[in-house]
Amino acid sequence: MAVVESRIRVRYAETDQMGIVYYANYLVWMEVGRVDYCKAHGFNYRDMERDDGAFLVVAEAECRYLAPAFFDDEVIIETRVTEARTRSIRFAYQMSSAGPDGTRGQLLATGSTNHVICGADRRPMRLPEKYRACFRVDPPA
Amino acid sequence: MAVVESRIRVRYAETDQMGIVYYANYLVWMEVGRVDYCKAHGFNYRDMERDDGAFLVVAEAECRYLAPAFFDDEVIIETRVTEARTRSIRFAYQMSSAGPDGTRGQLLATGSTNHVICGADRRPMRLPEKYRACFRVDPPA
Amino acid sequence: MAVVESRIRVRYAETDQMGIVYYANYLVWMEVGRVDYCKAHGFNYRDMERDDGAFLVVAEAECRYLAPAFFDDEVIIETRVTEARTRSIRFAYQMSSAGPDGTRGQLLATGSTNHVICGADRRPMRLPEKYRACFRVDPPA
Amino acid sequence: MAVVESRIRVRYAETDQMGIVYYANYLVWMEVGRVDYCKAHGFNYRDMERDDGAFLVVAEAECRYLAPAFFDDEVIIETRVTEARTRSIRFAYQMSSAGPDGTRGQLLATGSTNHVICGADRRPMRLPEKYRACFRVDPPA
């Protein structure tokens, strides 16, 4: 369960006139990875917001772009937790294109996001107890 | 005040690999036109949501694409109201490229959106009295 | 093969401060539906652009919004062809939320797009012969 | 000319269900800043792509989010060059909300992007001579 894998298909909307995926969209893919990470650890991020009033507010994001992604490529997003504190959580991501056989091909980008746990009032709060076990630091890939 | 004019500059993010603006982005530009329409009529749509709990929920949208828009083009959005009822409002839009001298050049697209006034609970409501004068049907362009 | 079904998961990025999916994103979902429609009919739209220099340029788009879509909802997009001419193609879409068992639940939106076949020079052209069989009018749903 | 200032108005489309601007959109605003930076230095990035076949391909991007941005806020983007090499350029950005009088208010975010100059074939190339003077390192803010 250390690393959670998501797959998305590149949309035409995500490309730009350079013929490749526009750089901001990788941060949307990281979000897809985080949401799947939560599901793989037993809960929906949606419910964490709705039922517990706990929001993962992004404090930092960074991405390194290694190779372009193209329209209709299948992209594999691998997400793991690299830091878990009572008030903040850091995720790391690897995005790769899927080869013709569906296995991980070329590495496209790596990135990370750091999140502060906030209440509905957008003030920092402690991660509710029941989620602590879900956000444990994963061993390195 | 019949027609309200907005101007935006095409972003690289809004283009796609065809080298032109991706079609969904015109609906975002219509939103820019609506927000400016409200301001030109004396109020902020933001305040209408926040202070009066009245939301313009989109019920229909349509767009006809006549000529492509390109990165870094200046686009003129002309917005007017074509129907104003106690529970719904229809806007029409003309989007044109600005010529080198800033005047309206080629017509790029026309469109319209129809909105139901809803409360924070997303149930239809009557447009609050104070906004009625703002949403009067404008004479045709 | 009359109707092709796609499934997407609503992204956080696709919501707006009303707590529902922003209206322009339905047009992106229609694109997902079109791309899958092509695949289900034996070819990749990507290859049609790359190998045959034929582009489906959007000439019209419209959408009726019947019920809001929410973050993390699974949305079923059903796509079919309603008009197929030598120089233009019209698609129709039904978007529904998937129920807990994965079957089609509430109807969220319906829409259509009309496309002119254009060359890389953005001038209208006839649909290459080999794609004609793929774009036949589907029987009504 | 050390720092170039851009101004944008937050769009409804850019918000998410947290009621604030979705984090990936700050990277789009950085693009607005870069494009304006080029104009303030005497050329259009659009022309650099079209006339000289030189593309600023993003290699790295990072952003620190300090305070949320809200719908309809006016945001001031300050852009400067912090590294200029023959094959790469680094930009830094400060994004602030504009106060009621239009002056710079609260700092919302800081970020940077690093770009490799590439040809239309997406292979690294040297920045064409005529642009060298435009991309000089600016003194710190």
Side-chain angles (χ1 to χ4, degrees):
Chain A
M1 194 57 76
V3 172
V4 172
E5 183 185 299
S6 308
R7 284 168 185 258
I8 58 99
R9 182 71 59 177
V10 175
R11 300 172 176 182
Y12 210 91
E14 294 173 329
T15 64
D16 65 22
Q17 70 177 43
M18 230 179 261
I20 59 178
V21 171
Y22 185 74
Y23 80 127
N25 292 314
Y26 290 75
L27 274 64
V28 179
W29 298 350
M30 294 180 195
E31 175 226 304
V32 172
R34 286 195 299 279
V35 170
D36 285 346
Y37 187 94
C38 293
K39 282 183 190 154
H41 286 78
F43 69 102
N44 284 357
Y45 174 68
R46 181 187 55 198
D47 301 338
M48 181 172 150
E49 280 199 355
R50 188 172 53 192
D51 302 341
D52 298 283
F55 297 77
L56 294 180
V57 176
V58 185
E60 296 170 43
E62 54 90 18
C63 190
R64 287 169 188 263
Y65 305 87
L66 306 172
F70 297 96
F71 166 58
D72 209 31
D73 279 356
E74 187 179 12
V75 175
I76 301 171
I77 307 153
E78 290 166 287
T79 304
R80 60 199 171 89
V81 166
T82 55
E83 259 183 50
R85 306 184 178 193
T86 51
R87 294 173 178 278
S88 70
I89 294 163
R90 183 179 293 273
F91 293 90
Y93 313 88
Q94 286 207 335
M95 289 162 276
S96 316
S97 58
D101 59 349
T103 60
R104 191 170 48 174
Q106 189 175 23
L107 185 60
L108 302 176
T110 61
S112 69
T113 56
N114 194 27
H115 302 257
V116 176
I117 297 114
C118 290
D121 57 1
R122 293 193 196 93
R123 299 176 74 94
M125 59 179 274
R126 296 166 68 88
L127 182 69
E129 185 64 34
K130 72 191 209 196
Y131 297 111
R132 302 239 172 116
C134 308
F135 294 121
R136 285 222 200 88
V137 174
D138 296 311
Chain B
M1 195 59 76
V3 172
V4 172
E5 184 185 299
S6 308
R7 284 167 185 259
I8 59 99
R9 182 73 58 178
V10 175
R11 300 172 176 181
Y12 209 91
E14 293 173 329
T15 65
D16 65 23
Q17 71 177 43
M18 232 178 258
I20 59 178
V21 171
Y22 185 74
Y23 80 128
N25 292 315
Y26 290 74
L27 273 64
V28 179
W29 298 349
M30 294 181 195
E31 174 227 304
V32 172
R34 285 196 299 280
V35 170
D36 285 346
Y37 187 94
C38 293
K39 281 183 190 154
H41 286 78
F43 70 103
N44 284 357
Y45 174 67
R46 180 187 55 197
D47 301 339
M48 182 171 150
E49 281 198 356
R50 189 172 52 191
D51 301 342
D52 298 283
F55 297 77
L56 295 180
V57 175
V58 185
E60 296 170 44
E62 55 89 17
C63 190
R64 287 170 187 264
Y65 305 87
L66 306 172
F70 297 96
F71 166 57
D72 209 31
D73 280 355
E74 187 181 11
V75 174
I76 301 171
I77 307 152
E78 290 166 288
T79 305
R80 61 199 170 88
V81 167
T82 55
E83 259 184 50
R85 307 184 177 192
T86 50
R87 294 174 179 279
S88 70
I89 294 164
R90 183 178 293 273
F91 292 90
Y93 313 89
Q94 287 207 333
M95 289 162 276
S96 315
S97 59
D101 60 349
T103 60
R104 189 171 50 175
Q106 190 174 24
L107 185 60
L108 302 176
T110 61
S112 69
T113 55
N114 194 26
H115 302 257
V116 176
I117 297 113
C118 290
D121 57 1
R122 292 193 198 93
R123 299 176 74 95
M125 60 179 274
R126 297 166 67 89
L127 181 68
E129 184 64 35
K130 72 191 209 195
Y131 296 111
R132 301 239 172 116
C134 308
F135 293 122
R136 287 223 198 89
V137 174
D138 296 311
Chain C
M1 193 57 75
V3 172
V4 172
E5 184 185 298
S6 308
R7 284 166 185 260
I8 58 100
R9 182 71 59 177
V10 175
R11 300 171 177 183
Y12 209 91
E14 294 173 329
T15 64
D16 65 23
Q17 70 176 45
M18 230 179 259
I20 59 178
V21 171
Y22 184 74
Y23 80 127
N25 292 315
Y26 290 75
L27 274 62
V28 179
W29 298 350
M30 294 181 195
E31 174 227 304
V32 172
R34 285 194 300 278
V35 170
D36 285 346
Y37 186 94
C38 293
K39 281 183 192 156
H41 286 78
F43 70 103
N44 284 357
Y45 174 67
R46 181 187 54 197
D47 301 339
M48 182 171 148
E49 280 198 354
R50 188 172 52 192
D51 301 341
D52 298 283
F55 298 77
L56 294 181
V57 175
V58 185
E60 295 170 45
E62 53 89 19
C63 190
R64 287 168 188 264
Y65 305 87
L66 306 172
F70 297 96
F71 166 58
D72 209 31
D73 279 356
E74 187 181 11
V75 174
I76 301 171
I77 306 153
E78 290 165 288
T79 304
R80 62 198 169 88
V81 166
T82 55
E83 259 183 49
R85 306 185 177 191
T86 50
R87 295 173 178 278
S88 70
I89 294 164
R90 184 179 293 273
F91 293 90
Y93 313 88
Q94 288 207 332
M95 289 162 276
S96 315
S97 58
D101 59 349
T103 61
R104 190 170 50 176
Q106 190 174 24
L107 185 60
L108 302 175
T110 62
S112 69
T113 56
N114 194 26
H115 302 258
V116 176
I117 298 112
C118 290
D121 56 1
R122 292 190 197 96
R123 300 176 74 95
M125 60 179 274
R126 297 165 69 88
L127 182 69
E129 185 63 36
K130 71 193 209 195
Y131 296 111
R132 302 234 173 120
C134 308
F135 293 121
R136 285 224 198 88
V137 174
D138 297 311
Chain D
M1 194 60 74
V3 172
V4 172
E5 183 186 297
S6 308
R7 283 166 185 261
I8 59 99
R9 182 72 59 177
V10 175
R11 301 172 176 183
Y12 209 92
E14 293 172 330
T15 63
D16 64 23
Q17 70 177 44
M18 232 179 256
I20 59 177
V21 171
Y22 184 74
Y23 81 128
N25 292 314
Y26 290 75
L27 274 63
V28 179
W29 298 350
M30 294 181 195
E31 174 227 304
V32 172
R34 286 194 299 277
V35 170
D36 285 346
Y37 187 94
C38 293
K39 281 183 191 156
H41 286 78
F43 70 101
N44 285 357
Y45 174 67
R46 180 188 55 198
D47 301 339
M48 182 171 150
E49 280 199 354
R50 190 173 51 192
D51 301 342
D52 297 283
F55 297 76
L56 294 181
V57 175
V58 185
E60 295 170 45
E62 54 89 17
C63 190
R64 285 168 189 264
Y65 305 87
L66 307 172
F70 297 97
F71 166 57
D72 209 30
D73 280 356
E74 187 181 10
V75 174
I76 300 172
I77 308 152
E78 290 166 287
T79 304
R80 61 198 169 89
V81 166
T82 54
E83 257 184 49
R85 306 186 177 191
T86 51
R87 295 172 177 279
S88 70
I89 294 164
R90 183 179 293 274
F91 293 90
Y93 313 88
Q94 287 207 333
M95 289 162 276
S96 317
S97 58
D101 60 348
T103 60
R104 192 170 48 175
Q106 189 174 25
L107 186 60
L108 302 175
T110 61
S112 69
T113 56
N114 194 25
H115 302 257
V116 176
I117 297 115
C118 290
D121 57 0
R122 292 192 198 94
R123 299 176 76 93
M125 59 179 275
R126 297 164 69 89
L127 181 68
E129 184 64 35
K130 71 192 209 196
Y131 297 111
R132 302 234 172 119
C134 308
F135 293 122
R136 285 223 198 89
V137 174
D138 297 311

